[in-house]
Amino acid sequence: MTEHPLVAHPPTIAIDGPSASGKSTLARAVARTLGWVHADTGSLYRSIAYSLIRSGLEEAPDEIRCRHVLALGIRYVVQDGGTRVFLGDRDVSSELRTEEVGRLASSVSQLPCVREALLRTQRDLADKGHVVMDGRDIGTIILPEATLKVFLVADPKVRAERRRMELESNGVSLPLDAVLKEIQTRDSNDRNRALAPLVKAPDALELDNSRMTVEESVRWILERLPR
Ligand code: DC
């Protein structure tokens, strides 16, 4: 009989789901309630896209983009219960929430060199435990031993309206139809890619938050967190 060593994993919560499903808002609220750290992993992919755009390399061959990624010096810095993303010593966190950056992030996240570069960054943060991490592959690849895995879904129209309001609060006005189309394209890219596709982990619990408030969703998660 094979003996399995008993490994204690530090407590973590993985929240995965499609674009604009409310993952980050919910993960932040859960982390705040528990006094844990919230790690928004989308911002890591977005920081790479942001840097490629600024360097005029968004369309460069993969080999050149990968060399750029390896030299970026991407760092997660924990601040006020959340994470900031630094490229070298520059905090780029507040420059990442545009549609242009999101679109390229979805595309560069399919490059193996990008996923490899970010794997260690994410696991290093989670190794300390007491982290709520949101993304696309957290429950399946980054934290397969997470204490609780949630797969968050919401009606595409509800998601489009949430994203439209987020954009509007950043001074960008777009018709709902255009936002919905963008979300559907992003969903299809994230679900159908070969590497680390967006998929529900077999042991994840599905939460449809289309008609729930953030507080109700937080309660739903806390009630299911093993203590
Ligand atoms: O969650 P977001 O919109 O900030 O993520 C931007 C893109 O980054 C998303 O379309 C796919 C990619 N991503 C990923 O591949 N894996 C993650 N864990 C998080 C984001």
Side-chain angles (χ1 to χ4, degrees):
M1 200 171 77
T2 323
E3 280 200 34
H4 295 283
L6 278 177
V7 184
H9 294 281
T12 52
I13 298 176
I15 303 183
D16 289 302
S19 199
S21 55
K23 298 181 300 288
S24 287
T25 306
L26 177 57
R28 191 178 310 115
V30 171
R32 193 171 297 145
T33 308
L34 290 167
W36 292 12
V37 170
H38 165 226
D40 155 21
T41 63
S43 63
L44 294 174
Y45 295 86
R46 283 171 180 266
S47 74
I48 289 178
Y50 168 80
S51 176
L52 288 170
I53 293 168
R54 276 182 56 110
S55 310
L57 293 175
E58 59 268 54
E59 309 240 327
D62 290 354
E63 199 190 314
I64 292 177
R65 294 197 291 180
C66 284
R67 218 176 301 142
H68 182 84
V69 170
L70 290 177
L72 267 183
I74 304 171
R75 291 185 298 132
Y76 247 163
V77 173
V78 173
Q79 209 177 83
D80 300 329
T83 40
R84 308 288 300 179
V85 182
F86 280 69
L87 298 180
D89 45 21
R90 184 150 173 259
D91 182 350
V92 295
S93 317
S94 53
E95 294 165 68
L96 307 176
R97 304 296 314 171
T98 67
E99 285 302 275
E100 185 192 19
V101 168
R103 202 174 307 127
L104 186 63
S106 175
S107 132
V108 295
S109 67
Q110 307 185 33
L111 293 176
C113 67
V114 166
R115 304 212 76 85
E116 270 162 37
L118 298 180
L119 180 81
R120 204 58 269 159
T121 313
Q122 295 166 85
R123 286 209 181 135
D124 281 350
L125 182 78
D127 275 353
K128 300 180 189 92
H130 301 99
V131 168
V132 185
M133 192 169 269
D134 78 77
R136 303 291 190 290
D137 61 341
I138 310 305
T140 48
I141 293 177
I142 307 295
L143 302 178
E145 312 289 348
T147 317
L148 178 67
K149 297 181 187 179
V150 177
F151 194 77
L152 194 63
V153 294
D155 185 89
K157 287 209 183 102
V158 173
R159 291 194 280 135
E161 179 55 21
R162 287 176 184 162
R163 175 56 54 83
R164 197 192 62 73
M165 278 166 30
E166 184 194 356
L167 288 168
E168 201 160 87
S169 68
N170 291 329
V172 181
S173 258
L174 277 182
L176 191 62
D177 282 3
V179 182
L180 181 60
K181 207 157 156 234
E182 179 78 33
I183 279 184
Q184 285 165 336
T185 309
R186 191 88 60 82
D187 280 0
S188 153
N189 285 348
D190 293 348
R191 284 181 203 279
N192 297 319
R193 68 186 182 205
L195 258 184
L198 169 66
V199 60
K200 178 176 168 292
D203 53 348
L205 307 177
E206 184 165 312
L207 169 61
D208 183 335
N209 73 355
S210 306
R211 277 160 208 85
M212 285 166 81
T213 62
V214 176
E215 292 71 31
E216 285 166 341
S217 301
V218 170
R219 209 172 314 127
W220 189 96
I221 288 182
L222 296 184
E223 279 166 10
R224 286 157 181 82
L225 180 66
R227 306 272 178 167

